[in-house]
């Protein structure tokens, strides 16, 4: 009789239980992130793929990322565009440049534009609202996502009324002490979490998220992040490895691991079947095939860069960022081909969360 591998059966059982209960213990999370064998990782990924394909099919949504300003008033210890980085070459795109990125994006098949930037005081609420209105007027079938940091309830309300329907704000870490190790005292995790609750209350599709492998991060912290996500029930979860930037206080810290990030993507897919889950550029930077591996571990979104090529090399959150020299059209062709190669189809739709369609 064939000898059964009881360890493997036990692992499969645990993954099935996780899928059924949508809960994970600290022990299992730690095991998955740090000690699972290749075979066990494949069991995990295969369950995550099964769930992702049941909800979304073998499709991948595109988000056109427009990095419209790298001015920032904050001083996060990990970030290459932090205020104190005097080596950063600062830029901000004009309204016309941003609109022309959207025109190009729609031609390429994008139906979501993500406007991301540092917290740049030049971009007042009036300017942001005017911009959002102009984009929606020219591209009424496209979704506008903002990712411009912590604002007041009233500001978020204004952006929503102007037509923005999604907002990305990674909470970075749900643990207050850990938050204080990554940020100056002027910033608080509690406020960032409150912003996410406000955004959700206003009616945005909301994305939270973390970096994997930030200094002092423990598995307990990641479990706290998961618990926070279970409470918030975000529509999107953005995770990527922490990657050091040479002009930040964390310049000598080790990079986060692509393997851990991919394993966590699979865990998140299993715990949050309907969530929009990007395979990020940081993951593609940490591992040349990181985005493909992320999709095969349950992610269902990729975010090609639509920023003009002359500023791409300036939006450097971390060292070694990929795709800084390519035109939007090249990135588009390349990413679509990469997805086709692994058996997935990029779809030209807005890619809303299933509860919003
Ligand atoms: N200012 C907006 C905000 O605060 O949400 C958006 C821009 S911020 C630079 C976008 C995200 O980049 C952050 O939430 C953070 O998780 C990520 N990031 C910053 N520095 C990073 C680094 N060194 N490695 C990986 N990701 C990083």
């Amino acid at each position: 009789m064939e000898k059964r591998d009881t360890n493997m059966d036990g692992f499969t059982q645990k993954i099935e239980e996780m899928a059924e209960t949508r809960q994970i213990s600290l022990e299992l999370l730690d095991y998955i992130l740090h000690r699972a064998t290749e075979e066990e990782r494949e069991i995990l990924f295969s369950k995550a793929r099964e769930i992702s394909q049941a909800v979304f099919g073998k499709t991948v949504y595109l988000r056109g990322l427009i990095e419209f300003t790298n001015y920032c008033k904050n001083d996060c210890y990990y970030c290459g565009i932090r205020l104190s980085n005097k080596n950063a070459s600062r830029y901000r795109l004009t309204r016309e440049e941003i609109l022309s990125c959207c025109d190009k994006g729609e031609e390429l098949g994008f139906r979501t534009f993500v406007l991301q930037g540092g917290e740049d005081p030049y971009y007042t609420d009036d300017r942001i609202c005017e911009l959002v209105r102009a984009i929606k007027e020219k591209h009424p079938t496209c979704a506008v996502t903002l990712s411009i940091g912590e604002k007041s309830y009233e500001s978020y309300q204004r952006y929503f009324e102007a037509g923005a329907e999604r907002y990305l704000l990674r909470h970075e870490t749900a643990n207050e002490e850990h938050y204080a190790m990554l940020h100056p005292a002027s910033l608080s995790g509690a406020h960032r979490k409150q912003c996410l609750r406000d955004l959700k209350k206003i009616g945005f599709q909301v994305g939270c998220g973390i970096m994997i492998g930030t200094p002092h991060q423990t598995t307990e912290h990641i479990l706290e992040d998961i618990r926070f996500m279970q409470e918030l029930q975000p529509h999107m979860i953005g995770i990527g490895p922490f990657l050091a930037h040479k002009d930040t206080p964390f310049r000598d810290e080790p990079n986060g691991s692509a393997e851990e990030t991919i394993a966590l993507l699979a865990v998140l897919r299993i715990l949050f079947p309907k969530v929009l889950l990007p395979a990020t550029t940081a993951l593609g930077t940490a591992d040349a095939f990181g985005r493909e591996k992320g999709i095969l571990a349950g992610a269902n979104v990729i975010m090609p860069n639509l920023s003009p090529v002359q500023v791409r090399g300036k939006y450097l959150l971390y060292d070694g960022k990929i795709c800084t020299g390519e035109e939007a059209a090249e990135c588009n062709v390349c990413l679509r081909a990469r997805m086709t190669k692994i058996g997935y189809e990029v779809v030209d739709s807005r890619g809303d969360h299933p509860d919003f369609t």
Side-chain angles (χ1 to χ4, degrees), residues 72 74 78-81 116-119 147-150 168-170 172 192 210-211 240-245 282 315 317-318:
C72 192
N74 292 335
Y78 45 83
C79 187
I81 62 168
Q116 190 181 88
E119 290 198 20
S147 179
I148 53 175
E150 295 174 45
L168 300 181
L169 184 77
R170 288 187 177 177
E172 315 296 2
R192 208 158 167 95
I210 60 170
M211 289 171 280
F242 156 74
L243 300 171
H245 186 292
Y315 196 83
L317 311 179
Y318 45 81

Side-chain angles (χ1 to χ4, degrees), residues 156-175:
Y156 289 146
Q157 182 78 49
R158 288 191 59 195
Y159 306 156
F160 190 70
E161 281 161 14
E165 47 271 89
R166 305 182 190 149
Y167 204 101
L168 300 181
L169 184 77
R170 288 187 177 177
H171 63 285
E172 315 296 2
T173 170
N175 180 279

Side-chain angles (χ1 to χ4, degrees), residues 59-62 109 336 345-349:
T59 61
V60 176
Y61 296 140
L62 284 186
R336 283 174 192 262
E345 185 202 354
V346 169
V347 286
D348 295 347
S349 81

Side-chain angles (χ1 to χ4, degrees), residues 262-316:
I262 294 162
L264 189 61
L265 281 172
V267 167
L268 293 172
R269 169 57 66 215
I270 295 170
L271 296 178
F272 300 90
K274 292 199 280 188
V275 86
L276 297 158
L277 199 57
T280 57
T281 305
L283 182 55
T285 299
D287 177 326
F289 293 98
R291 285 167 298 178
E292 287 90 333
K293 291 178 189 172
I295 298 293
L296 292 171
N300 72 320
V301 173
I302 44 174
M303 302 176 71
N305 203 321
L306 272 182
S307 311
V309 85
Q310 68 273 16
V311 301
R312 289 218 189 166
K314 297 182 180 177
Y315 196 83
L316 294 181

Side-chain angles (χ1 to χ4, degrees), residues 153-292:
Y153 190 96
E154 292 67 35
S155 299
Y156 289 146
Q157 182 78 49
R158 288 191 59 195
Y159 306 156
F160 190 70
E161 281 161 14
E165 47 271 89
R166 305 182 190 149
Y167 204 101
L168 300 181
L169 184 77
R170 288 187 177 177
H171 63 285
E172 315 296 2
T173 170
N175 180 279
E176 286 300 323
E177 282 103 67
H178 187 217
Y179 196 92
M181 294 174 188
L182 307 180
H183 302 92
S186 53
L187 297 171
S188 94
H191 185 257
R192 208 158 167 95
K193 285 188 243 177
Q194 187 52 45
C195 286
L196 283 161
R197 294 189 187 101
D198 290 347
L199 287 160
K200 212 171 165 212
K201 188 160 173 218
I202 290 167
F204 282 97
Q205 293 180 56
V206 171
C208 66
I210 60 170
M211 289 171 280
I212 312 304
T214 42
H216 314 291
Q217 185 183 53
T218 62
T219 311
E220 282 83 353
H221 292 148
I222 298 178
L223 190 64
E224 251 183 85
D225 291 316
I226 291 175
R227 302 263 190 268
F228 171 68
M229 293 169 193
Q230 286 171 325
E231 175 216 312
L232 179 72
Q233 287 296 325
H235 306 93
M236 302 166 262
I237 302 177
I239 68 162
F242 156 74
L243 300 171
H245 186 292
K246 62 180 182 359
D247 298 315
T248 64
F250 287 168
R251 63 180 65 83
D252 295 323
E253 298 290 342
N255 285 343
S257 138
E259 283 68 35
E260 273 178 51
T261 305
I262 294 162
L264 189 61
L265 281 172
V267 167
L268 293 172
R269 169 57 66 215
I270 295 170
L271 296 178
F272 300 90
K274 292 199 280 188
V275 86
L276 297 158
L277 199 57
T280 57
T281 305
L283 182 55
T285 299
D287 177 326
F289 293 98
R291 285 167 298 178
E292 287 90 333

